[in-house]
Amino acid sequence: MAVVALGRIKDSEKVYQYVKDLEKDLGISRYYSRLIQIRFRKDLDDCLGLCWGSEKFVYIDIWKSGDMPQMMQTLAHEMVHAKQFIKKELVDGYMYKGRNYSACDYETQPWEISAYAQEEKLFRKNWKKSS
């Protein structure tokens, strides 16, 4: 899988290895024709991270807060969404595993429940490994 990171970030090589470790844990490291673009940005409005895309291309924006652990846990959360897009579990941002959740509140969206359930474990396991 190809990963492109945009924006300056401290410890960029450590972050790159972290993303590679997340890919392995999430079972998407062998999807060679896929692209994940990660941007570290100071100008995200009221959120820590965003993810959108398709089975071929995934875009992730992370709020560049200066708090590295927070950014990396957010990145783990967004990488769960990347897996959901790449494996076609999440399509068009509201179709999840073949069901339409467009009328669902954010807190009850199944793809968000899944990402929140995994983010801390993924972060703790893989951020330490990258050190």
Side-chain angles (χ1 to χ4, degrees), residues 46-58:
D46 57 358
C47 65
L48 298 175
L50 298 169
C51 183
W52 67 98
S54 67
E55 66 181 292
K56 296 280 185 186
F57 302 100
V58 176

Side-chain angles (χ1 to χ4, degrees), residues 6-99:
L6 305 171
R8 295 182 63 174
I9 183 124
K10 187 174 94 176
D11 298 328
S12 60
E13 288 191 27
K14 181 178 176 182
V15 172
Y16 181 76
Q17 184 58 52
Y18 174 64
V19 170
K20 290 296 182 189
D21 292 338
L22 288 171
E23 287 177 347
K24 287 178 188 169
D25 259 11
L26 292 167
I28 58 173
S29 60
R30 293 186 179 186
Y31 287 76
Y32 299 113
S33 62
R34 307 317 194 261
L35 172 69
I36 298 176
Q37 177 179 296
I38 302 168
R39 296 186 303 177
F40 294 93
R41 301 177 49 182
K42 291 183 179 180
D43 60 347
L44 283 186
D45 292 332
D46 57 358
C47 65
L48 298 175
L50 298 169
C51 183
W52 67 98
S54 67
E55 66 181 292
K56 296 280 185 186
F57 302 100
V58 176
Y59 303 93
I60 295 174
D61 285 348
I62 301 294
W63 177 49
K64 191 174 176 180
S65 67
D67 180 349
M68 195 62 132
Q70 180 184 45
M71 288 190 302
M72 294 304 104
Q73 185 162 333
T74 300
L75 182 53
H77 177 102
E78 301 306 335
M79 285 294 292
V80 173
H81 293 318
K83 176 205 69 135
Q84 293 165 343
F85 281 114
I86 288 167
K87 290 190 171 187
K88 294 192 277 186
E89 296 171 350
L90 181 58
V91 178
D92 294 331
Y94 62 87
M95 294 291 294
Y96 186 69
K97 296 186 177 182
R99 294 189 60 196

